Amino acid sequence: MNPRSSILGKRATLVGTLLVLLSSGQIFSETVLFKNGEKTYGTVIDQSTDAVTILKDTKRQTIPKSQILKIIFKDIKDEGELGKIFEAEKKKLNKDGKKTEKEEQLDTLVLEQMIKENSYKVVQKRLALIEKYIDEQDGGWEEYISKNRNPWEPVWKSAILPGWGLSLMKKDTYARTYQVIIGLSIIVAIGGSQAATVQKNKAENRMSKMLFEDPVTYAQIQAAGIPNSSVYIAKLQTDAFSEYNKDKHNQHQYETYSHTGLGLAVGLYLAQLAQSYFLGKQWATHNIIQTPSGESVQEGFNFKSNMTTLASGGGGALREYRSELRYVSAF
């Protein structure tokens, strides 16, 4: 296989990533000298057998290698220095205006190194920006990902304050949802209970009035000799019973609201505890460390015991019971 073709073929996967990273702006550039004496500046991101691709002002530009005299791995503005480089490179061309095969292979290797260094610089710059962004969003992220995690911590925190354990695991959307709905449910439960008590008192007062005050009123009306007093009294009694029944209906309705709100709050409380438990088991798996032998252990003290067969034969076996306590540290 042609070594030059092999080198060029390895760039395929890197080019796409490099283009995405460089799309935010020109970070650094090379100086491209043409055989006709012109020049341009851009970041080398890829090359093929016949062409070089540069990124100039966030746009790709493909330049045939036959037009390129030299690509310099820095941004040169000094015309005197460029003139000297131009003359030196011109002397390397043969009568057909081409470089020797050895010179072309050397240029290919230099470009390959340029592309590698460009990609490395871009990745380092992007990582620095990402870390700065994360620090601004959550200054405690480093402690969060490095601290030892107990799978039961989210559970007991959620038991004390609904959603607390989920917030600990960065499940803020779940946490806020539970807190808001549970809070509203408790408000409905308390408000419904208070309203039901008010309606109950109204119903009891109305019943007391119907039993003790209204008969006296009805007797006075009858004694006054008011025409059609019996019809009037019957209407008063009907209205009183209607108001009493209305108060009792409202009481039962508010009690239903209270019980529904309380049931929903309790159900959601238990649901967020269960979710904290299952998510907590997964959240705490970062404590698991794999030893070179492939054994999974946790950071800290680890107790292990097992039965080992030492020898067997004659219908029997010699076994040994082993126990060991180890302390594992990740660094």
Side-chain angles (χ1 to χ4, degrees):
M1 179 183 290
N2 188 334
R4 184 178 177 187
S5 300
S6 176
I7 293 172
L8 296 177
K10 295 179 181 178
R11 302 310 309 158
T13 56
L14 179 61
V15 174
T17 305
L18 187 57
L19 277 173
V20 173
L21 294 175
L22 285 172
S23 61
S24 60
Q26 196 70 29
I27 299 175
F28 36 81
S29 63
E30 284 78 56
T31 303
V32 182
L33 293 179
F34 294 98
K35 293 178 180 178
N36 62 5
E38 296 181 358
K39 62 182 178 298
T40 189
Y41 301 95
T43 303
V44 177
I45 59 173
D46 193 22
Q47 67 167 323
S48 65
T49 305
D50 303 318
V52 172
T53 302
I54 66 172
L55 196 67
K56 185 176 180 181
D57 299 328
T58 71
K59 295 181 180 179
R60 291 182 57 162
Q61 181 178 349
T62 301
I63 306 172
K65 286 186 175 180
S66 59
Q67 300 178 7
I68 298 174
L69 178 65
K70 180 73 173 178
I71 298 180
I72 308 166
F73 198 23
K74 61 180 179 178
D75 189 338
I76 302 177
K77 301 295 185 181
D78 188 347
E79 294 293 337
E81 183 179 356
L82 286 175
K84 292 179 182 179
I85 297 174
F86 183 81
E87 292 299 327
E89 292 298 322
K90 270 287 190 178
K91 293 178 180 180
K92 297 179 182 179
L93 302 180
N94 58 26
K95 61 180 181 179
D96 296 325
K98 296 181 180 180
K99 292 183 179 181
T100 63
E101 184 176 352
K102 184 178 180 180
E103 288 286 344
E104 288 184 356
Q105 289 181 354
L106 180 60
D107 287 345
T108 299
L109 292 174
V110 171
L111 286 174
E112 176 73 13
Q113 185 63 29
M114 283 185 188
I115 294 170
K116 286 182 179 179
E117 293 192 24
N118 283 347
S119 61
Y120 174 78
K121 290 177 182 177
V122 172
V123 169
Q124 292 301 309
K125 181 177 179 67
R126 297 297 287 180
L127 286 176
L129 292 174
I130 290 171
E131 184 171 350
K132 181 181 178 182
Y133 173 79
I134 294 175
D135 280 334
E136 290 177 352
Q137 296 297 313
D138 184 0
W141 68 272
E142 194 168 0
E143 179 184 358
Y144 171 76
I145 64 176
S146 61
K147 66 179 290 190
N148 192 40
R149 297 178 181 178
N150 184 338
W152 287 103
E153 184 178 359
V155 179
W156 68 257
K157 285 189 173 181
S158 292
I160 296 175
L161 178 65
W164 186 12
L166 294 170
S167 294
L168 174 68
M169 297 182 288
K170 304 299 183 183
K171 305 294 182 181
D172 295 326
T173 301
Y174 284 124
R176 285 192 293 267
T177 301
Y178 279 119
Q179 289 169 350
V180 170
I181 299 179
I182 290 176
L184 292 176
S185 300
I186 292 175
I187 291 174
V188 170
I190 296 175
S193 177
Q194 292 177 344
T197 300
V198 171
Q199 293 299 318
K200 179 182 178 181
N201 292 335
K202 288 178 64 176
E204 290 176 350
N205 291 336
R206 196 170 299 279
M207 176 59 71
S208 177
K209 185 173 181 295
M210 290 169 58
L211 293 175
F212 301 105
E213 296 181 17
D214 288 352
V216 176
T217 302
Y218 300 154
Q220 291 175 347
I221 292 174
Q222 287 179 334
I226 299 175
N228 299 322
S229 59
S230 59
V231 176
Y232 180 63
I233 291 172
K235 185 177 184 307
L236 290 177
Q237 290 176 333
T238 301
D239 291 342
F241 274 110
S242 177
E243 291 296 325
Y244 172 78
N245 290 331
K246 181 180 178 181
D247 292 337
K248 294 298 289 184
H249 173 75
N250 289 338
Q251 175 190 344
H252 293 311
Q253 190 172 34
Y254 286 127
E255 286 176 348
T256 300
Y257 292 157
S258 178
H259 295 158
T260 301
L262 181 60
L264 183 60
V266 172
L268 289 173
Y269 177 79
L270 296 176
Q272 60 97 31
L273 282 181
Q275 189 173 14
S276 297
Y277 169 73
F278 288 111
L279 291 179
K281 291 177 65 177
Q282 181 181 4
W283 172 74
T285 54
H286 101 296
N287 294 334
I288 303 298
I289 304 167
Q290 197 168 60
T291 65
S293 63
E295 180 185 4
S296 295
V297 295
Q298 284 190 327
E299 187 173 3
F301 287 100
N302 288 260
F303 179 79
K304 180 184 177 182
S305 60
N306 64 327
M307 186 74 71
T308 304
T309 301
L310 299 178
S312 60
L318 180 62
R319 295 183 175 88
E320 180 183 43
Y321 184 80
R322 294 181 178 178
S323 298
E324 63 177 347
L325 181 65
R326 292 181 294 175
Y327 182 82
V328 179
S329 177
F331 57 88

